[in-house]
Amino acid sequence: MKAPARLVGFALIANPEVASPEGEQPMPQTPAEFRDKFRVGENLLHRSDGWTVSLRPGACTLGACVIGADRPHVSLADIDAGEAAALVDAVGWFEARVRAAFDADKFNYLALMMVDDHLHFHALPRYAAPRSAGGVAWSDPGWPGQPDLKHANTADPQALAAVRAALTGMPGA
């Protein structure tokens, strides 16, 4: 049975007509460049039709992920109806798994795309109190305000493997 998806704290900030602070338009990223930067291959958790869910490198909160489009898009308005439905499925998978594994209090979604000009969402579980996973005490210093994207919880490869296993249900995944 699918868990219903709820978007909480959704922000989409992307305008290809607005120049970067240096006065230049960002160059569109290919899906392959995006996957390389976010190490999707090693951090992959889930695939749906048109979207991948992967652990976010430098996790600012426990279970922070990136939900990225498989096709090259620079605007949410560019996705088709099938991709829109698959995005809801990907978000539902993410929320259900993180809620079950780590008891997240809320979820925030950011689609900034000012540096990485490829359609993706930073999917951030939010926590009113620290959580423990993989032998690491995970904090959310931005709670109850905006997420602190510069904060990175220190986790070794074994701790990240434990988080991955908790989210996928596969030991050592």
Side-chain angles (χ1 to χ4, degrees), residues 78-97:
D78 292 340
I79 67 173
D80 62 33
E83 289 168 318
L87 176 58
V88 171
D89 288 344
V91 168
W93 181 92
F94 164 74
E95 287 189 7
R97 294 298 178 107

Side-chain angles (χ1 to χ4, degrees), residues 100-122:
F102 309 122
D103 195 28
D105 294 307
K106 289 190 178 277
F107 294 92
N108 291 167
Y109 297 89
L110 302 173
L112 305 172
M113 299 183 309
M114 297 305 289
V115 174
D116 302 298
D117 198 24
H118 176 73
L119 183 59
H120 67 286
F121 299 86
H122 294 268

Side-chain angles (χ1 to χ4, degrees), residues 3 7 20 31 37-38 41 55 62 73-74 84 90 97 99 107-108 111-112 128-130 151 157 164:
L7 295 179
S20 68
K37 178 177 181 179
F38 284 94
L55 283 177
L62 175 59
H73 295 295
V74 294
R97 294 298 178 107
R99 188 171 278 118
F107 294 92
N108 291 167
L112 305 172
H151 174 74
R164 209 170 17 260

